[in-house]
Each structure stands twice: as structure tokens, then as C-alpha cells.
Amino acid sequence: MSIQTLRFSVLSSMMAALMAIGAYLHIPIGPVPLVLTNLFVLLSGLLLGGRWGLLSATLYLFVGAMGMPVFYGGKGGLAHLIGPTGGYLFGFLFSAGIVGFISDRFHSSLLGDIIAVMIGSLIIYAFGVPWLKMMTKISWDKAYMVGMIPFLPGDALKAGVSIILARAVRPILYRQIKTPPFLGPSSSQSQR
């Protein structure tokens, strides 16, 4: 294992831990709580790139599925992956990976980050709302009203904060790891 791989593994674990902390900061407003987890999902993609962002979200879900209290309100277990919020949880996987992929392709530019977090947020809803509808057997209108509409302003704010944090932390992070994720560990070795 290279030192770069080790560094990204540690950073992925740290982002998974932040996702868990974000779940503890929740406001129950119906079957879908308001949490900060998606802020850290978006941030993991922006900071770590597609592969490592996906890994951090995977680790978060794996630890939660094993029963560790990392989901909203300090809950854990497989039941949460198949419950009403399970679609949002699986959406985190794809969101982190796609946000990182898009940000990498735009070489972490501001425009790329904005596009990435917009698409990443929509991906979470694309998985979450249909799953919520299916699990609770409510109408599409009700699913949108309960599982998406009330969260849009807050999610827009969280997306903006994730961009601000990423742009502030990236220079420090890239100095420490010696390469941005879009260049990959092998590229940094060839630049020496």
C-alpha cells in the first residue's frame, strides 16, 4: 500500500465519521429527518474525488448496517437500510461518487463544484423519494411533499456550505497529500 493510498484511506474514514456526526445533528420532521449527513456526503466527494468519496459513503453505510449507531438519532442496523429513509442512505453512495467524479473532471473549479453538488443532491432525492413512496405506500405528491420539498432550502444551503468548505480545505489538504484526487497517486509520483 502506498503512502498516498493510506492517506486517502484515512481521509475516507474521517469523512465517514463526519457523516455519522452529521446524522446525530437531526431534526425529526416526519418520516424523513433533517440531518447534516448529506453536507458531509457532498464534501467527501468534493475533497476526496469519486473513488474515495464513494468509499467514505460505503464505509458509513457498512458501519451503520453492522449496527453501529451512526444513522440519524444514533440508530443503526439493517432495518434502517430497508426502512423509509433507506433510499436516501443508498443515494449517499452514488451522490458522493458522482460529486467526486464531476468535480475531478472539472479539476475542482468553482463551476464544476456547483454542478457536482447540484447533481449530487438530486441523486439523493432520486433514490430517496421513490423508496419513501414505496415503503410508506403514499402518493407521489405526498412523497414529494414529505420527502423533498421541505428539505430543498436547507439542502441548497448545505450544498453551498460544502463548496465553501471544500474550497477552503483543498489547498491545505492537497499540500498534505501532495496531489489532488483527480491526478491520482501515480500522477504525483511521475511529477517528482
Side-chain angles (χ1 to χ4, degrees):
M1 176 184 295
S2 75
I3 191 73
Q4 290 296 89
T5 303
L6 179 61
R7 286 176 176 157
F8 276 106
S9 297
V10 169
L11 290 169
S12 293
S13 299
M14 290 172 58
M15 290 308 300
L18 286 172
M19 290 175 202
I21 291 168
Y24 273 86
L25 306 170
H26 72 282
I27 300 170
I29 57 170
V32 181
L34 177 65
V35 296
L36 288 181
T37 306
N38 49 341
L39 173 120
F40 296 112
V41 167
L42 299 173
L43 187 60
S44 71
L46 291 174
L47 289 178
L48 304 180
R51 179 174 67 162
W52 295 103
L54 174 65
L55 179 66
S56 66
T58 302
L59 179 59
Y60 170 69
L61 290 188
F62 177 74
V63 169
M66 300 262 313
M68 296 298 292
V70 297
F71 298 142
Y72 75 93
K75 299 173 185 170
L78 284 173
H80 293 282
L81 294 178
I82 58 174
T85 59
Y88 297 95
L89 293 172
F90 283 110
F92 290 164
L93 287 174
F94 295 96
S95 178
I98 295 297
V99 166
F101 177 80
I102 293 169
S103 181
D104 286 354
R105 294 305 163 260
F106 282 87
H107 298 284
S108 301
S109 70
L110 179 59
L111 177 62
D113 289 350
I114 292 169
I115 292 169
V117 297
M118 287 173 58
I119 292 173
S121 296
L122 290 175
I123 287 171
I124 295 170
Y125 289 125
F127 279 83
V129 172
W131 186 267
L132 176 67
K133 180 198 179 313
M134 182 178 72
M135 296 307 293
T136 59
K137 299 183 181 4
I138 58 179
S139 69
W140 280 108
D141 289 343
K142 180 84 169 173
Y144 285 118
M145 290 307 295
V146 170
M148 188 173 102
I149 302 299
F151 301 99
L152 290 174
D155 285 349
L157 179 63
K158 288 183 264 186
V161 169
S162 71
I163 291 171
I164 292 167
L165 288 173
R167 299 192 73 70
V169 171
R170 272 188 193 129
I172 300 163
L173 180 64
Y174 292 172
R175 256 193 318 270
Q176 294 299 314
I177 60 175
K178 308 291 189 243
T179 183
F182 55 81
L183 292 178
S186 61
S187 298
S188 67
Q189 293 168 353
S190 64
Q191 291 176 357
R192 293 183 188 172

